[in-house]
Amino acid sequence: MDILIRSTPAEVALAAADIFTRYANDGATLGLATGSTPVAMYQELIARYERGEVSFAQSRAFLLDEYLGLAPDHEQSYYSDNRREFTSHVDFVDALVKSPAGDAADPARAAESYDAAIRQAGGVDIQLLGIGANGHIGFNEPSSSLRSRTHVTTLHPQTVRDNARFFDKEQDVPRHAITQGLGTISEARHLLLLATGANKASAVKALVEGPLSARCPASILQLHHSATVIVDEAAAAGLEDREYYLFADQNRVL
């Protein structure tokens, strides 16, 4: 696992955009995440697209998760949010940007179909991830199976509280979602996790330096052959081996 520590959230976004640009220009299959953390990276990618430095025309994309009960055109669906923040501003082919069917009549079957669609597309080349304050990735909350496939899950009360800022009131936040499972996520060829802010410091420490455990679902990255974690100084505050991560980054083998 490569740990990259940058001074500010803006520098995290730039470093992440550098990685995503390489994959997009190769026509890769991209795994997209929703939430506040990736927004700065998306804005940088949009700016690069407008300057002619990157194109998504040859790429397809799969979203990481979706609220249960929300149609794609619902204002608070993750599909709509990702279009507002990113995909509608660049040259993706809309039909090749897929998300779990949160409004499906049979959510369990929809989850299985989404998992199968990822496999049929040849898998995800690079999967973007954020991390929750409790260590979740996607909507894989603590106690999630480390080998789980795309499935229907119940949100943690902390996740509901954290996401309430996107809704009129906490009671409006859906309690369930369809999410790629930890096993599904782990099949992506490259995992790219971003974390910024002091509220993520404990989760980042558990992810990087804690035991592999369902208590911190993001710790599954420790098993991955190609995982990159990019954090700002605030999110890196709890890392005991911070000196080594900085040294390794500065003395990277090319």
Side-chain angles (χ1 to χ4, degrees), residues 117-136:
I118 294 172
R119 291 196 299 271
Q120 290 165 6
V124 171
D125 291 304
I126 182 167
Q127 176 63 60
L128 181 64
L129 299 166
I131 185 171
N134 64 2
H136 76 250

Side-chain angles (χ1 to χ4, degrees), residues 132-213:
N134 64 2
H136 76 250
I137 54 175
F139 277 125
N140 294 282
E141 303 283 13
S143 79
S144 295
S145 166
L146 300 180
R147 299 179 65 181
S148 58
R149 310 302 306 177
T150 303
H151 62 285
V152 178
T153 189
T154 302
L155 275 61
H156 193 285
Q158 183 62 53
T159 303
V160 172
R161 291 190 290 269
D162 289 345
N163 289 0
R165 66 189 187 278
F166 302 116
F167 292 81
D168 291 336
K169 54 186 183 298
E170 185 176 313
Q171 289 79 2
D172 294 338
V173 183
R175 268 46 178 177
H176 301 91
I178 298 177
T179 185
Q180 289 185 38
L182 296 175
T184 308
I185 291 169
S186 295
E187 290 176 356
R189 296 173 184 89
H190 188 173
L191 301 181
L192 175 62
L193 186 144
L194 312 181
T196 59
N199 66 316
K200 300 296 179 68
S202 294
V204 167
K205 178 175 173 53
L207 149 67
V208 175
E209 298 178 339
L212 175 65
S213 170

Side-chain angles (χ1 to χ4, degrees), residues 63-127:
L63 273 62
L64 191 59
D65 44 27
E66 182 59 273
Y67 286 121
L68 201 63
L70 300 190
D73 60 355
H74 189 285
E75 181 181 8
Q76 297 300 341
S77 76
Y78 276 6
Y79 179 81
S80 290
D81 184 86
N82 205 273
R83 278 191 58 78
R84 281 193 303 272
E85 298 292 350
F86 181 42
T87 59
S88 68
H89 301 283
V90 295
D91 57 343
F92 273 112
V93 176
D94 285 344
L96 297 182
V97 179
K98 304 294 186 182
S99 66
D103 60 343
D106 187 340
R109 177 166 292 182
E112 293 176 0
S113 296
Y114 194 68
D115 209 83
I118 294 172
R119 291 196 299 271
Q120 290 165 6
V124 171
D125 291 304
I126 182 167
Q127 176 63 60

